[in-house]
Amino acid sequence: MYDELRHSVCGANLLLVKYKLVTFTWGNVSGIDREEGIIIIKPSGVAYEQLTPEKMVVLDLDGETIEGELRPSSDTATHLELYRSFKSIGGICHTHSPKATMWAQAQSGIPCFGTTHADHFYGTVPVTEIMTMEEIDNDYELNTGRVIVRRLEGMDPVQMPAVLVANHGPFTWGRDAITAVENAVVLEQIAETALGTITIKPEQNAITQALLDKHYLRKHGKDAYYGQK
Amino acid sequence: MYDELRHSVCGANLLLVKYKLVTFTWGNVSGIDREEGIIIIKPSGVAYEQLTPEKMVVLDLDGETIEGELRPSSDTATHLELYRSFKSIGGICHTHSPKATMWAQAQSGIPCFGTTHADHFYGTVPVTEIMTMEEIDNDYELNTGRVIVRRLEGMDPVQMPAVLVANHGPFTWGRDAITAVENAVVLEQIAETALGTITIKPEQNAITQALLDKHYLRKHGKDAYYGQK
Amino acid sequence: MYDELRHSVCGANLLLVKYKLVTFTWGNVSGIDREEGIIIIKPSGVAYEQLTPEKMVVLDLDGETIEGELRPSSDTATHLELYRSFKSIGGICHTHSPKATMWAQAQSGIPCFGTTHADHFYGTVPVTEIMTMEEIDNDYELNTGRVIVRRLEGMDPVQMPAVLVANHGPFTWGRDAITAVENAVVLEQIAETALGTITIKPEQNAITQALLDKHYLRKHGKDAYYGQK
Amino acid sequence: MYDELRHSVCGANLLLVKYKLVTFTWGNVSGIDREEGIIIIKPSGVAYEQLTPEKMVVLDLDGETIEGELRPSSDTATHLELYRSFKSIGGICHTHSPKATMWAQAQSGIPCFGTTHADHFYGTVPVTEIMTMEEIDNDYELNTGRVIVRRLEGMDPVQMPAVLVANHGPFTWGRDAITAVENAVVLEQIAETALGTITIKPEQNAITQALLDKHYLRKHGKDAYYGQK
């Protein structure tokens, strides 16, 4: 069952390899079918070369396995928390891609230094707070989801489809699993250019609100005019 | 119609992939036929793998579509302004290539630190001024062309076939579409080496006028002696 | 004889090329059969394209060649010292991979800035002391092994399967030759992200002990829950 | 005539592409036959994909073409000056490889920070003096050779097979054309790791003379014990 979603989530996981976002098995992508009340996610620690739609794990929103013989990704509880809180998203991606991870490890958000960023993320890509010892010791993966949700408070997750988990790495999302991966690709590139930008000019400011609005809205607003309708 | 130019502009767009200058659809190349009074440009948001000469869009110099069913690149008005102002150029290329974009985001021109740079760009690669809120809100893409033209005032666009749009990224041009892309490749490489140069020695000066003249002119002057005549 | 170990050690050496850890012949991997009392190692200065299981060199633990017509890696004495001292390891890998070598050349350990690191190395990856003139002049390779062993004193080599030899480069190890190479891949990536981290925030601290414990133990402790059991 | 040397010099030029040392046509390799009194060099501005042994240019040591219909590399006079002054070398390579060029543009030699460097270059890779206006205006390429020779005074070009021409890029050499290219590969890697090293620790010192001697001599001295004799 859930053949179409199995295929698209499996394909999205394989895109991580194509876009060079992962080393070994360090990444996972999931997708949700809200009508059916299930998510599909990569099995834990399985090599991408061996991934097939059949091996994907189907879970309900409480994390109970419905179909699949393999254990789901160890980050499943994080994905579930995000799906429960961000009703508008359909796919989630987590990687340890190097450039985004540099900013996460520096506990620093990525300022919007240019239009490449503004085309995809509506402002600074936020970084979560450091997790407390209590949050780490019990229900760590669930609490990872919670610190993300807390950090996104007041933002529209559609307009800000990325976060950096402090000391860890990026999570991205989107309307489906493939879009979540594409946002991870964009995030990696803007993380790289932002690093170069502050190397050239450490005190560089973010772009103006006018330019941010222009670029974000020409691609995403109701009057968007980028691409073929 | 315009078969030859369609093919060369399509081929030039595909070179962006070959030279790793683009992610997804973030780049566009155009060419002009001044006798016919038309330009040919990439359609907006179309994946490079699906690009064919037939899909290219033919426009007159006022931006009216003459042939083609797809919308032209959202940056078309910028290309048109450059063609109208720089009478000696035949092709234009725009990308968000990471290294050049770092400098654009730092609102900094790229000083001529060496002969690789001097072989292709006759002095500092200029960066535009920040656009005003008015320039952004109305006719943004046209105004992007205008700030470029303003910044190039007093320079020969043949001798300086590149500019960095502040907070955005590079535009390059040349005698035809392929040359415009080649200049984008060179720009990316000198942006990378310049960043390394100031990392090693932050106070590094540009090269002397004598060395700049020597290298630029041995490749481009009337007494050029590089290559096979 | 020792066919299986020959094949796995040869294959592990070829992984160095696959993972882009080596230039020319600058790397070597070995494996040990503790029951037979032999190690198998790459021959010195042989190109990876020409490497076959038959060309691997079999030595006893005193470094005497038992099988093989080629000279063993010039670093053999270092490998032997590590096998003698670290009873729990089965394979060793040495490379000059660029990012890890940067830290070795800066005579600096790699702080644990994030969970990618914590998933594999239990704390700061240590750097050895500078070798004395006496240690360099006599039995240099053996002494390289000794400074490594001295630096690892008080640590469990299973929990810290990597070291940076000051002014030289990384050695990694693991339960077998392939795991040793995989640890070299991880080390290279965390060396890269750590460099970016301190570029963004020079005074960045290591992660908390709680987070280090959580990540290391969820992958490696007796209650590990990553992957498929 | 000179078939063997034509083939090896052509092959060495093609290695520049394999090792990613060149963009477009920005590099050239030559070889010398001292008994015949001729050198063979890449033709100027010819794409590597179109290079064949037949297209290589044969010159005498005064730079007169003996065989070949194409113009030789515009850097030919530099190569000739090095062959006349460094009697022990058989091949020369010039590129604008990015990492080595960063140091050349920063007018800074590359300190010997580690054993990778010491294995191939016996001490700091030197950078030339800035050329005077007179040296640039007349016989520029010949004078480029002369500033290199002047900078190498007191060094054995076999022990220091590389130099950085200030504001320009690297020249390397060796016993033949292929070795010259291999030294260019090594130079590029040590340029990269040295940049990372000073990013981590700006005040980092070069390695000790004892370690430099040990590594250089274990590979190159009369008692060398690296590789298969």
Side-chain angles (χ1 to χ4, degrees):
Chain A
M1 279 189 64
Y2 315 112
D3 245 32
E4 196 177 322
L5 190 57
R6 276 176 187 282
H7 273 83
S8 77
V9 172
C10 181
N13 273 283
L14 295 177
L15 284 179
L16 298 180
V17 179
K18 172 178 172 187
Y19 289 122
K20 300 181 196 295
L21 294 175
V22 287
T23 301
F24 301 130
T25 60
W26 308 350
N28 44 71
V29 185
S30 68
I32 191 168
D33 183 329
R34 290 192 185 267
E35 291 193 8
E36 300 281 347
I38 56 102
I39 76 153
I40 296 185
I41 195 165
K42 179 178 179 292
S44 182
V46 172
Y48 295 102
E49 306 91 75
Q50 298 171 0
L51 218 56
T52 58
E54 292 69 40
K55 287 188 183 153
M56 305 307 292
V57 187
V58 183
L59 305 158
D60 66 22
L61 294 192
D62 296 323
E64 293 303 311
T65 296
I66 292 178
E67 287 183 16
E69 314 219 332
L70 297 169
R71 285 164 145 193
S73 164
S74 58
D75 296 310
T76 297
T78 312
H79 289 240
L80 287 168
E81 178 65 12
L82 299 185
Y83 284 122
R84 285 187 297 254
S85 300
F86 302 159
K87 305 295 189 193
S88 50
I89 69 172
I92 296 172
C93 171
H94 171 50
T95 77
H96 290 218
S97 62
K99 305 305 194 294
T101 299
M102 291 171 185
W103 289 88
Q105 292 189 162
Q107 301 170 359
S108 173
I110 306 176
C112 182
F113 287 134
T115 63
T116 323
H117 184 129
D119 282 337
H120 298 87
F121 305 106
Y122 192 54
T124 300
V125 174
V127 67
T128 65
E129 294 202 337
I130 306 292
M131 292 171 75
T132 63
M133 197 178 302
E134 289 70 35
E135 288 171 327
I136 292 168
D137 280 350
N138 296 297
D139 295 322
Y140 170 65
E141 291 81 7
L142 173 60
N143 286 326
T144 300
R146 284 174 176 154
V147 297
I148 294 173
V149 171
R150 214 153 63 212
R151 187 63 188 79
L152 267 281
E153 250 176 40
M155 297 182 214
D156 177 349
V158 171
Q159 294 193 328
M160 182 49 67
V163 75
L164 304 173
V165 176
N167 298 321
H168 190 147
F171 279 81
T172 55
W173 46 82
R175 67 174 176 275
D176 54 27
I178 287 173
T179 308
V181 174
E182 288 175 351
N183 284 331
V185 174
V186 178
L187 181 64
E188 187 66 1
Q189 179 155 340
I190 63 153
E192 178 187 355
T193 51
L195 178 55
T197 299
I198 59 169
T199 302
I200 298 168
K201 197 174 289 179
E203 75 285 8
Q204 180 63 42
N205 289 321
I207 63 173
T208 61
Q209 187 67 34
L211 189 58
L212 174 58
D213 283 347
K214 180 70 194 176
H215 268 264
Y216 189 78
L217 298 176
R218 88 172 180 171
K219 271 203 160 173
H220 303 276
K222 70 172 165 44
D223 300 320
Y225 55 93
Y226 180 92
Q228 310 296 328
K229 279 292 164 72
Chain B
M1 281 188 63
Y2 315 113
D3 245 31
E4 196 177 323
L5 190 56
R6 276 175 186 283
H7 274 83
S8 78
V9 173
C10 181
N13 273 284
L14 295 177
L15 284 179
L16 297 180
V17 179
K18 172 178 172 187
Y19 289 122
K20 299 180 198 296
L21 293 175
V22 288
T23 301
F24 301 130
T25 60
W26 309 349
N28 44 73
V29 185
S30 68
I32 191 168
D33 182 329
R34 291 191 184 267
E35 291 194 6
E36 300 281 347
I38 56 101
I39 75 152
I40 295 183
I41 194 164
K42 179 178 178 294
S44 181
V46 172
Y48 295 102
E49 305 91 76
Q50 298 171 358
L51 218 56
T52 58
E54 293 69 39
K55 286 190 184 151
M56 305 306 291
V57 187
V58 183
L59 306 159
D60 67 23
L61 294 193
D62 297 322
E64 294 302 312
T65 296
I66 291 178
E67 286 183 15
E69 314 218 332
L70 297 169
R71 284 164 145 194
S73 163
S74 57
D75 296 311
T76 298
T78 312
H79 288 241
L80 287 168
E81 179 64 12
L82 298 185
Y83 283 123
R84 284 188 297 256
S85 300
F86 302 159
K87 304 295 189 193
S88 49
I89 70 172
I92 296 173
C93 170
H94 171 52
T95 77
H96 291 218
S97 62
K99 306 304 194 294
T101 299
M102 290 171 185
W103 289 88
Q105 292 190 160
Q107 302 170 0
S108 173
I110 306 177
C112 182
F113 288 134
T115 63
T116 322
H117 183 129
D119 282 337
H120 298 87
F121 304 107
Y122 191 54
T124 299
V125 174
V127 67
T128 65
E129 293 201 338
I130 305 293
M131 291 171 76
T132 64
M133 197 178 301
E134 289 71 35
E135 288 171 329
I136 292 168
D137 280 350
N138 297 297
D139 296 323
Y140 171 64
E141 291 81 6
L142 173 60
N143 285 326
T144 301
R146 284 175 177 154
V147 297
I148 293 173
V149 171
R150 215 153 62 213
R151 187 63 188 80
L152 266 282
E153 250 176 40
M155 298 183 213
D156 177 349
V158 171
Q159 292 191 330
M160 181 49 67
V163 75
L164 304 172
V165 176
N167 297 322
H168 190 148
F171 280 81
T172 55
W173 46 82
R175 68 175 176 275
D176 53 28
I178 287 173
T179 309
V181 174
E182 289 175 350
N183 284 331
V185 173
V186 178
L187 182 63
E188 187 66 0
Q189 179 155 341
I190 63 153
E192 179 187 355
T193 50
L195 178 55
T197 299
I198 59 169
T199 302
I200 298 168
K201 197 174 288 180
E203 75 285 8
Q204 179 64 42
N205 290 321
I207 64 173
T208 60
Q209 187 66 35
L211 188 59
L212 174 57
D213 284 346
K214 179 70 193 177
H215 269 265
Y216 188 79
L217 298 176
R218 90 174 178 170
K219 270 204 159 172
H220 303 276
K222 70 173 167 40
D223 300 320
Y225 56 91
Y226 180 91
Q228 310 296 328
K229 279 292 163 75
Chain C
M1 282 189 62
Y2 315 113
D3 244 30
E4 196 178 323
L5 190 57
R6 277 176 185 282
H7 274 84
S8 78
V9 173
C10 181
N13 274 283
L14 295 178
L15 284 179
L16 297 180
V17 178
K18 172 179 172 185
Y19 289 122
K20 300 180 196 298
L21 294 175
V22 288
T23 300
F24 300 130
T25 60
W26 309 350
N28 44 72
V29 185
S30 68
I32 190 167
D33 183 329
R34 289 190 186 269
E35 290 194 9
E36 300 281 348
I38 57 102
I39 76 153
I40 296 185
I41 195 166
K42 180 179 177 291
S44 181
V46 172
Y48 294 102
E49 305 91 78
Q50 298 172 358
L51 217 57
T52 57
E54 292 70 39
K55 286 188 183 153
M56 305 306 292
V57 186
V58 183
L59 305 157
D60 66 22
L61 294 192
D62 296 322
E64 294 302 311
T65 296
I66 291 178
E67 286 183 16
E69 313 217 334
L70 297 168
R71 285 163 145 194
S73 164
S74 57
D75 296 310
T76 297
T78 312
H79 289 240
L80 287 168
E81 178 64 12
L82 298 185
Y83 284 122
R84 285 187 297 256
S85 300
F86 302 158
K87 303 297 188 192
S88 49
I89 70 173
I92 296 172
C93 170
H94 170 51
T95 77
H96 290 218
S97 62
K99 307 302 194 293
T101 299
M102 291 171 185
W103 288 89
Q105 293 190 160
Q107 301 169 1
S108 173
I110 305 177
C112 182
F113 287 133
T115 63
T116 324
H117 183 130
D119 281 337
H120 297 88
F121 305 107
Y122 192 54
T124 299
V125 174
V127 65
T128 65
E129 294 203 336
I130 306 293
M131 292 172 74
T132 64
M133 197 178 301
E134 289 69 36
E135 288 171 328
I136 292 168
D137 281 350
N138 297 298
D139 295 322
Y140 170 65
E141 290 82 7
L142 173 60
N143 285 327
T144 300
R146 285 173 177 156
V147 296
I148 294 173
V149 171
R150 213 153 64 213
R151 187 63 187 77
L152 266 281
E153 249 176 41
M155 298 182 214
D156 176 350
V158 170
Q159 293 193 328
M160 181 49 67
V163 75
L164 303 172
V165 176
N167 299 321
H168 190 147
F171 279 80
T172 55
W173 46 83
R175 67 174 177 275
D176 54 29
I178 286 173
T179 309
V181 173
E182 288 175 349
N183 284 330
V185 173
V186 178
L187 181 64
E188 187 66 0
Q189 178 154 340
I190 63 153
E192 178 187 356
T193 50
L195 178 54
T197 299
I198 60 168
T199 301
I200 298 168
K201 198 174 288 179
E203 75 285 10
Q204 179 63 42
N205 289 322
I207 63 174
T208 60
Q209 186 67 34
L211 189 58
L212 173 58
D213 283 346
K214 180 70 193 175
H215 269 265
Y216 189 79
L217 298 176
R218 90 174 178 169
K219 270 203 159 173
H220 303 276
K222 70 172 165 42
D223 300 320
Y225 55 92
Y226 180 90
Q228 311 296 329
K229 274 298 163 67
Chain D
M1 282 189 63
Y2 313 114
D3 244 30
E4 196 177 324
L5 190 57
R6 276 175 186 282
H7 273 84
S8 78
V9 173
C10 181
N13 273 284
L14 295 178
L15 285 179
L16 297 180
V17 178
K18 172 178 173 187
Y19 289 122
K20 299 181 198 296
L21 294 174
V22 288
T23 300
F24 301 130
T25 60
W26 309 349
N28 45 71
V29 185
S30 68
I32 191 168
D33 183 329
R34 291 192 184 269
E35 290 194 7
E36 300 282 346
I38 56 102
I39 76 152
I40 295 185
I41 195 165
K42 179 178 178 294
S44 182
V46 172
Y48 294 103
E49 306 91 78
Q50 298 172 359
L51 218 57
T52 57
E54 292 69 40
K55 286 189 182 152
M56 305 306 292
V57 187
V58 184
L59 305 158
D60 67 23
L61 293 193
D62 297 322
E64 294 301 313
T65 296
I66 292 178
E67 285 183 16
E69 312 219 333
L70 296 169
R71 284 163 146 195
S73 164
S74 57
D75 296 310
T76 298
T78 312
H79 289 241
L80 286 168
E81 179 65 12
L82 298 185
Y83 284 123
R84 284 187 297 256
S85 300
F86 302 159
K87 305 296 190 192
S88 49
I89 70 173
I92 296 172
C93 170
H94 171 51
T95 77
H96 290 218
S97 62
K99 306 303 193 294
T101 299
M102 290 172 186
W103 288 89
Q105 292 190 160
Q107 302 170 0
S108 173
I110 305 176
C112 182
F113 287 133
T115 63
T116 323
H117 183 130
D119 281 337
H120 297 88
F121 305 107
Y122 191 54
T124 299
V125 174
V127 65
T128 65
E129 294 201 337
I130 307 293
M131 293 172 74
T132 64
M133 197 178 301
E134 290 69 36
E135 288 171 329
I136 291 168
D137 281 350
N138 296 297
D139 295 322
Y140 170 65
E141 291 81 7
L142 173 60
N143 286 327
T144 300
R146 284 174 177 155
V147 297
I148 294 173
V149 171
R150 215 154 63 214
R151 186 64 187 79
L152 267 282
E153 250 176 40
M155 298 182 214
D156 176 350
V158 171
Q159 293 192 329
M160 182 48 67
V163 75
L164 304 172
V165 176
N167 299 321
H168 190 146
F171 279 81
T172 55
W173 47 81
R175 66 174 178 275
D176 54 29
I178 286 172
T179 309
V181 173
E182 289 175 349
N183 284 330
V185 173
V186 178
L187 181 63
E188 187 67 359
Q189 179 155 342
I190 63 152
E192 178 187 356
T193 49
L195 178 55
T197 299
I198 60 169
T199 301
I200 298 168
K201 197 173 288 178
E203 74 286 9
Q204 179 63 42
N205 290 322
I207 63 174
T208 60
Q209 187 66 35
L211 189 58
L212 174 57
D213 283 346
K214 180 68 195 178
H215 269 265
Y216 189 79
L217 298 175
R218 91 175 176 168
K219 269 205 160 172
H220 302 276
K222 69 172 168 39
D223 300 320
Y225 56 91
Y226 181 91
Q228 310 296 330
K229 273 299 160 67

